[in-house]
Amino acid sequence: MADSPLNPEFVLLVDCPDRAGLVHAITGVLFRAGANVISNHEFVDAETQRFFMRTGCRGSLDAPSVTSAIEALLPKGSLVQVRRVVPRRIVVLVSKEHHCVADILIRHAYGELGAELLAVVSNHDNLRPLADKFSVPFHSVPSDGLSRERHEELIQSLVEPLKPDYLVLAKYMRILSPAFVSRWPNRIVNIHHSFLPAFVGAKPYHQAFHRGVKVIGATAHFVSDQLDEGPIIMQQVIPMDHSYTPHDLARAGRDIERTVLSHTLKLLNEDRVFLCATRTIIFD
Amino acid sequence: MADSPLNPEFVLLVDCPDRAGLVHAITGVLFRAGANVISNHEFVDAETQRFFMRTGCRGSLDAPSVTSAIEALLPKGSLVQVRRVVPRRIVVLVSKEHHCVADILIRHAYGELGAELLAVVSNHDNLRPLADKFSVPFHSVPSDGLSRERHEELIQSLVEPLKPDYLVLAKYMRILSPAFVSRWPNRIVNIHHSFLPAFVGAKPYHQAFHRGVKVIGATAHFVSDQLDEGPIIMQQVIPMDHSYTPHDLARAGRDIERTVLSHTLKLLNEDRVFLCATRTIIFD
Amino acid sequence: MADSPLNPEFVLLVDCPDRAGLVHAITGVLFRAGANVISNHEFVDAETQRFFMRTGCRGSLDAPSVTSAIEALLPKGSLVQVRRVVPRRIVVLVSKEHHCVADILIRHAYGELGAELLAVVSNHDNLRPLADKFSVPFHSVPSDGLSRERHEELIQSLVEPLKPDYLVLAKYMRILSPAFVSRWPNRIVNIHHSFLPAFVGAKPYHQAFHRGVKVIGATAHFVSDQLDEGPIIMQQVIPMDHSYTPHDLARAGRDIERTVLSHTLKLLNEDRVFLCATRTIIFD
Amino acid sequence: MADSPLNPEFVLLVDCPDRAGLVHAITGVLFRAGANVISNHEFVDAETQRFFMRTGCRGSLDAPSVTSAIEALLPKGSLVQVRRVVPRRIVVLVSKEHHCVADILIRHAYGELGAELLAVVSNHDNLRPLADKFSVPFHSVPSDGLSRERHEELIQSLVEPLKPDYLVLAKYMRILSPAFVSRWPNRIVNIHHSFLPAFVGAKPYHQAFHRGVKVIGATAHFVSDQLDEGPIIMQQVIPMDHSYTPHDLARAGRDIERTVLSHTLKLLNEDRVFLCATRTIIFD
């Protein structure tokens, strides 16, 4: 997961039906536009016959005209983006657990997150002092006595004006309604504390203990309107043994949860994640 | 997973309700019997409040009298075994895939399996030449035109006279009936090609592909009368990416299937596996 | 790496020449003293013929009398400790890099470190604001214009009155003199950014890049008077590929450095680490 | 490490100085030649400023004319190959240990090796029955009483007429002379039983034991005239603990040795390995 030492100034992202000659045609546009290609990934998905490409470039491109020139080569239904590389804007949603958001705050404070952290939003208040330490705005939206719709409306009204690229659920323990999710299509990322599809739903570490698994894991995935069913971006596991209680599993799992989530944010920030049916293509 | 350089001549296995002073009492019997303890593992399961102990000894023990002396210390319902360390006797059941049984045959041929391989039994005939190369008896029991009961009766009549300690399902692709399983309680071991409980049932690599997981795994477990629900002995996973088709997943998975299965056989052969409710205690 | 849900109130640590009957004799003392044993690990090192034991207990023990009673059973040169479980006291030494100390500060702030963090000491000043956020004393001791002896004297005079159990080098980039190390025998722990013994000394990520390794790692070890030669406590590695520059290797490595260091602190805090010649015995 | 379900019929391999427009120019030749590109990897090495490309194609190419057309685009000193995908020819050299060659024989027998196994050559005779089982020619060339030069001459005279692409040292325990190595530049592959550069030379598992490492590994590398210094192709490690004797380390290590070696053969057979100074570029 590394670009060349020169970071790209632009990335080109293409997602289109496959046909012969695509790489030649697309790189021709880049070449004529004076782009200096510094990294290039392509993949054709056999099942959907779609072509995916991510190209990192340097040079003084005119992004809209390059985009148009490439679109002109491709059939309708193709997605083409030429993006100047600027930090993605994120809002982090949390409940009471600190470990994922603490990791994000530290990385953000030291310029290692890649993204711009706009705010932390929680249904509780206990993590406010942590966000305050790092001078990141913290908003608590208690859910007590509110319908789910009303609670989500409050969150939406807080978050929308911030114009985030992604909402990051960093151990946000409430289930978002399909209505809310549909406002942020493929723009909500969750960290789930199991190697999905094992242990969907609540208390996965308790489920893992009772099933007696010898590995536990964490999964970062896009949120869809099916609980824990969205496309998986990254997963990692660690070995377990019989001596771990559910409490021990949770403690050990926290380290991989934060690692998986922060790697996932890096992938998203660098535009390395493509959606392909129920799966993701990761160019790392 | 290593005894000291001196291998034990006996292993003591205890599974009993926990109470204070057990280690002291049990090791007292061993000490007075002249046993030289070379390794010792104990564990108390918090949920069931049962005590588990595995002790490797050397010396000229009288196993029955040591067993009786320890049993006399413990409440009814305690399990005590003092076993002279001799190779476990196993029968391997396969279908058409060669990779797990080939690994077992090679290890057996070079004295690395720990177990005595009595026979290979298959519902097909294609692996006969492989078993023949290593002079291991091969029995094919085709299932065509037979009821499941009849087919299992034929297998049972082949296997029973061999007096195996364990039946090892090394990619045996038929589901065994509860009736058959009940004849071999906790003595049938299966290698399942997913990280259970993900992808129970048929074609786990196809399921894994469509779910878009980023790790695949293999699970060795005892066979119970619930499909793929028996206690897990060992699991291992490897990372995946979007470029793997179901065919590629299957190919990559074969390496961990055979590794997990052969480690599991080593654990069983050395009496390192205890059952505890739906879980296993592994002293390695 | 998990005690039973009931944490021990005492741990017994034994390191002595092996002989028959040790477990029986030692557990007898504990039993008669009314200790409730909740976990027990033993190991005999084949090379040195020494016996190691760690026992976690609950109950109202008289630690000195239990210690004496066990010492009375063992030959001269045996080490016996019965310790009430209280947090270890640590001082962290850093240079300019934040990632390890940030992890320690976060864990400390949320009661997950196990240890009491007395102070952060650095030869630079840039991490002061980070320590301040968490209200942990920060002392900078610049080395400019000072001899190594003088610099170390200043550190020693700062650290000694704090009476730490361990000095933790969390990316402290200066080499400590044998004279300094000898004042803290087996009480200084370092995190080295390679899988030792590969890439001893400076700039291990640059060394790793030029050697073209396909894994990189981190090693926590006791500091001895030989550079990077002290007994290894924990190591972890992650896979690499050709696309990683030395800069990328360093970034990726930071995640395992902090993970390895914090696990190591957990092991030390729980008295799970024994020294055995140039090696460590880890009861986890 | 997976091509698309359609395996390529040709692979194009390019290794040349980097300049703008290379991908566009090269894919233009392929497009005009009617090649259907099914996978494509490119990399620019920042240190050497060389461009590497591997393209898998289908279609009825005229390989020599495509090669010439691409060469015509590139500066002198560029390497261009268009190879029809046919199995690589290998000869395996062994000493007394069976595990790596057994794995290769099994994979070869079941069509999973990718390569054509021409012969097994050993300085001992004990593995002859194993090769015989799989009807692979076995040649023993004892070294007793021979100078190294004479012994290597005998091996060379056996191997050369077989016209292998690669010599595979599958636990061949003699050091090859620079003179011998120079006859097979970058065509000899060795499996070393440590995570190089740790534990160069003899008895790495004993070295690992005495250093007290907590991981052990295996390294596949090209053989150069510096012992254990050739470019690394693949490495893998597994965790260890204090209970492993050198004997146990060797046993545990065998599993990763054979895994690493067989993956390396897959990489080589599919032309996924490029040399770049002292490093390798792996397109998997």
Side-chain angles (χ1 to χ4, degrees), chain D residues 236-259:
Chain D
Q236 212 169 27
V237 303
I238 48 173
M240 277 308 99
D241 69 42
H242 57 267
S243 72
Y244 284 70
T245 62
H247 175 82
D248 298 317
L249 294 176
R251 180 188 46 70
R254 285 196 286 267
D255 283 349
I256 43 171
E257 291 168 25
R258 63 176 191 170
T259 301

Side-chain angles (χ1 to χ4, degrees), chain A:
Chain A
M1 193 195 312
D3 272 314
S4 90
L6 290 176
N7 287 319
E9 294 171 336
F10 292 87
V11 285
L12 163 69
L13 309 171
V14 178
D15 169 354
C16 69
D18 190 30
R19 68 164 171 80
L22 281 175
V23 175
H24 178 59
I26 294 168
T27 54
V29 174
L30 293 172
F31 182 61
R32 288 186 293 272
N36 183 11
V37 172
I38 61 173
S39 70
N40 206 19
H41 290 88
E42 304 119 32
F43 182 70
V44 176
D45 181 61
E47 204 184 45
T48 59
Q49 283 300 310
R50 285 191 80 86
F51 169 88
F52 298 89
M53 182 172 179
R54 176 193 183 274
T55 306
C57 310
R58 294 181 67 84
S60 53
L61 293 194
D62 178 51
S65 75
V66 169
T67 306
S68 304
I70 294 173
E71 282 175 340
L73 297 168
L74 306 178
K76 289 281 178 205
S78 299
L79 304 171
V80 179
Q81 280 190 67
V82 179
R83 287 190 65 244
R84 179 172 286 279
V85 175
V86 291
R88 291 293 196 176
R89 298 166 61 84
I90 66 171
V91 169
V92 169
L93 274 72
V94 297
S95 290
K96 288 182 166 175
E97 288 179 84
H98 70 279
H99 56 287
C100 285
V101 70
D103 188 55
I104 289 171
L105 287 163
I106 291 279
R107 288 177 196 265
H108 187 248
Y110 285 91
E112 294 181 341
L113 187 62
E116 188 179 353
L117 176 55
L118 305 169
V120 176
V121 176
S122 178
N123 54 330
H124 294 279
D125 205 53
N126 68 308
L127 294 173
R128 181 184 299 278
L130 181 63
D132 285 354
K133 284 188 211 306
F134 294 94
S135 306
V136 170
F138 181 91
H139 307 286
S140 105
V141 186
S143 58
D144 310 336
L146 301 181
S147 69
R148 190 199 289 191
E149 288 68 30
R150 183 64 192 134
H151 185 243
E152 291 184 347
E153 268 170 36
L154 292 174
I155 289 178
Q156 178 73 11
S157 66
L158 253 175
V159 168
E160 200 165 31
L162 301 173
K163 297 189 189 306
D165 293 303
Y166 292 105
L167 302 187
V168 177
L169 310 187
K171 305 293 288 179
Y172 182 69
M173 305 309 281
R174 289 174 61 88
I175 296 170
L176 295 169
S177 71
F180 185 91
V181 170
S182 69
R183 288 187 195 126
W184 302 90
N186 302 321
R187 290 168 59 196
I188 311 180
V189 179
N190 184 46
I191 181 73
H192 183 82
H193 41 314
S194 84
F195 52 99
L196 289 174
F199 312 130
V200 164
K203 290 191 171 273
Y205 291 127
H206 283 79
Q207 294 183 54
F209 173 77
H210 286 292
R211 184 61 188 90
V213 290
K214 301 300 186 186
V215 296
I216 59 166
T219 302
H221 63 97
F222 287 112
V223 175
S224 69
D225 51 9
Q226 301 293 315
L227 180 63
D228 299 335
E229 293 279 321
I232 292 170
I233 304 170
M234 187 173 171
Q235 297 188 290
Q236 212 170 27
V237 303
I238 48 172
M240 277 308 100
D241 68 43
H242 57 265
S243 72
Y244 284 71
T245 62
H247 175 82
D248 298 318
L249 294 176
R251 179 187 47 70
R254 285 196 286 268
D255 283 348
I256 44 172
E257 291 168 25
R258 64 178 192 168
T259 301
V260 168
L261 184 56
S262 71
H263 284 219
T264 295
L265 292 181
K266 184 173 189 302
L267 291 171
L268 288 170
N269 288 328
E270 298 179 355
D271 294 302
R272 295 178 182 278
V273 182
F274 290 73
L275 275 163
C276 177
T278 56
R279 296 168 280 124
T280 60
I281 312 293
I282 310 288
F283 286 140
D284 63 356

Side-chain angles (χ1 to χ4, degrees), chain B:
Chain B
M1 193 195 311
D3 272 312
S4 89
L6 289 176
N7 287 318
E9 294 171 338
F10 291 88
V11 285
L12 163 69
L13 309 170
V14 177
D15 168 355
C16 69
D18 190 31
R19 67 165 171 81
L22 281 176
V23 175
H24 178 60
I26 294 169
T27 53
V29 174
L30 292 172
F31 182 60
R32 289 186 293 272
N36 183 11
V37 172
I38 61 173
S39 69
N40 205 20
H41 290 88
E42 304 117 34
F43 181 71
V44 176
D45 181 62
E47 204 183 45
T48 60
Q49 283 299 308
R50 284 191 81 85
F51 169 87
F52 298 90
M53 182 171 179
R54 177 193 184 274
T55 306
C57 311
R58 295 179 67 84
S60 52
L61 294 193
D62 179 52
S65 75
V66 169
T67 306
S68 305
I70 294 175
E71 282 174 339
L73 298 168
L74 306 179
K76 288 281 177 204
S78 299
L79 304 171
V80 179
Q81 280 190 68
V82 179
R83 286 190 66 244
R84 178 171 287 279
V85 175
V86 291
R88 291 292 196 177
R89 298 166 61 85
I90 66 171
V91 170
V92 170
L93 273 71
V94 297
S95 289
K96 288 182 165 173
E97 290 179 83
H98 71 279
H99 56 287
C100 285
V101 69
D103 188 54
I104 290 170
L105 286 164
I106 292 279
R107 288 177 196 265
H108 187 248
Y110 284 92
E112 295 182 339
L113 187 62
E116 188 178 352
L117 176 55
L118 304 169
V120 175
V121 176
S122 177
N123 55 330
H124 294 278
D125 206 51
N126 67 308
L127 294 173
R128 182 184 299 278
L130 181 63
D132 285 354
K133 284 188 210 305
F134 293 94
S135 306
V136 169
F138 182 93
H139 307 285
S140 105
V141 186
S143 59
D144 311 335
L146 300 181
S147 68
R148 191 199 289 191
E149 289 67 31
R150 182 63 192 136
H151 185 243
E152 290 184 348
E153 268 169 38
L154 292 174
I155 289 178
Q156 178 75 9
S157 66
L158 253 174
V159 167
E160 201 166 31
L162 301 173
K163 298 189 188 305
D165 294 303
Y166 293 104
L167 302 188
V168 177
L169 310 187
K171 306 292 287 180
Y172 182 69
M173 305 309 281
R174 289 174 62 88
I175 296 170
L176 294 169
S177 71
F180 186 91
V181 171
S182 69
R183 286 187 197 128
W184 301 91
N186 301 322
R187 289 168 60 197
I188 311 179
V189 179
N190 182 46
I191 181 75
H192 183 82
H193 40 314
S194 84
F195 51 99
L196 289 174
F199 311 130
V200 165
K203 290 191 172 269
Y205 290 127
H206 282 79
Q207 294 184 54
F209 173 77
H210 286 292
R211 184 60 188 91
V213 291
K214 302 299 187 186
V215 294
I216 59 167
T219 303
H221 63 98
F222 286 113
V223 174
S224 68
D225 53 8
Q226 301 293 316
L227 180 63
D228 298 335
E229 293 278 321
I232 292 170
I233 305 170
M234 186 174 172
Q235 296 189 290
Q236 212 171 27
V237 304
I238 48 172
M240 277 307 101
D241 68 44
H242 57 266
S243 72
Y244 283 71
T245 62
H247 175 83
D248 297 320
L249 295 175
R251 179 188 47 71
R254 284 196 286 267
D255 283 349
I256 44 172
E257 291 168 25
R258 64 178 191 166
T259 300
V260 168
L261 184 56
S262 71
H263 284 217
T264 296
L265 293 181
K266 184 174 189 303
L267 292 170
L268 289 170
N269 288 327
E270 298 180 355
D271 293 303
R272 296 179 182 277
V273 182
F274 290 73
L275 275 164
C276 177
T278 55
R279 295 167 284 123
T280 59
I281 312 293
I282 311 287
F283 288 140
D284 63 356

Side-chain angles (χ1 to χ4, degrees), chain D residues 25-206:
Chain D
I26 294 168
T27 54
V29 174
L30 292 172
F31 182 60
R32 288 186 294 271
N36 183 12
V37 172
I38 61 174
S39 70
N40 205 19
H41 291 88
E42 303 117 35
F43 181 70
V44 176
D45 180 62
E47 203 184 46
T48 59
Q49 283 299 309
R50 285 191 79 86
F51 169 88
F52 298 89
M53 181 171 181
R54 177 192 183 275
T55 305
C57 311
R58 294 181 67 84
S60 54
L61 294 193
D62 179 51
S65 75
V66 169
T67 306
S68 303
I70 294 174
E71 282 175 339
L73 298 169
L74 306 179
K76 288 281 177 203
S78 299
L79 303 172
V80 179
Q81 279 189 67
V82 179
R83 285 190 66 243
R84 179 171 286 279
V85 175
V86 290
R88 291 293 197 177
R89 298 165 62 84
I90 65 171
V91 169
V92 170
L93 274 72
V94 296
S95 289
K96 287 181 166 175
E97 290 179 83
H98 70 279
H99 57 286
C100 285
V101 69
D103 188 56
I104 291 170
L105 286 164
I106 292 279
R107 290 177 195 266
H108 188 248
Y110 284 93
E112 294 180 341
L113 188 61
E116 187 179 352
L117 175 54
L118 304 169
V120 175
V121 176
S122 177
N123 55 328
H124 294 278
D125 205 51
N126 68 306
L127 295 173
R128 181 184 300 277
L130 180 63
D132 285 353
K133 282 187 212 307
F134 293 94
S135 306
V136 169
F138 182 92
H139 306 286
S140 107
V141 186
S143 60
D144 311 336
L146 300 182
S147 68
R148 190 199 291 190
E149 288 69 31
R150 182 63 193 137
H151 186 244
E152 291 184 347
E153 268 169 38
L154 292 174
I155 289 179
Q156 178 74 10
S157 65
L158 255 174
V159 168
E160 200 166 33
L162 300 173
K163 298 189 188 306
D165 293 304
Y166 292 105
L167 302 187
V168 177
L169 310 188
K171 305 293 286 181
Y172 182 70
M173 304 309 279
R174 290 173 61 87
I175 296 170
L176 294 169
S177 71
F180 186 91
V181 171
S182 69
R183 286 187 197 127
W184 302 91
N186 302 321
R187 290 168 59 196
I188 311 180
V189 179
N190 183 46
I191 181 74
H192 184 82
H193 41 313
S194 84
F195 52 98
L196 288 175
F199 310 129
V200 165
K203 290 188 169 275
Y205 291 126
H206 283 78

Side-chain angles (χ1 to χ4, degrees), chain C residues 54-74:
Chain C
R54 176 193 185 275
T55 305
C57 310
R58 295 181 67 83
S60 53
L61 294 194
D62 178 51
S65 75
V66 169
T67 305
S68 303
I70 294 175
E71 281 174 340
L73 298 169
L74 306 179

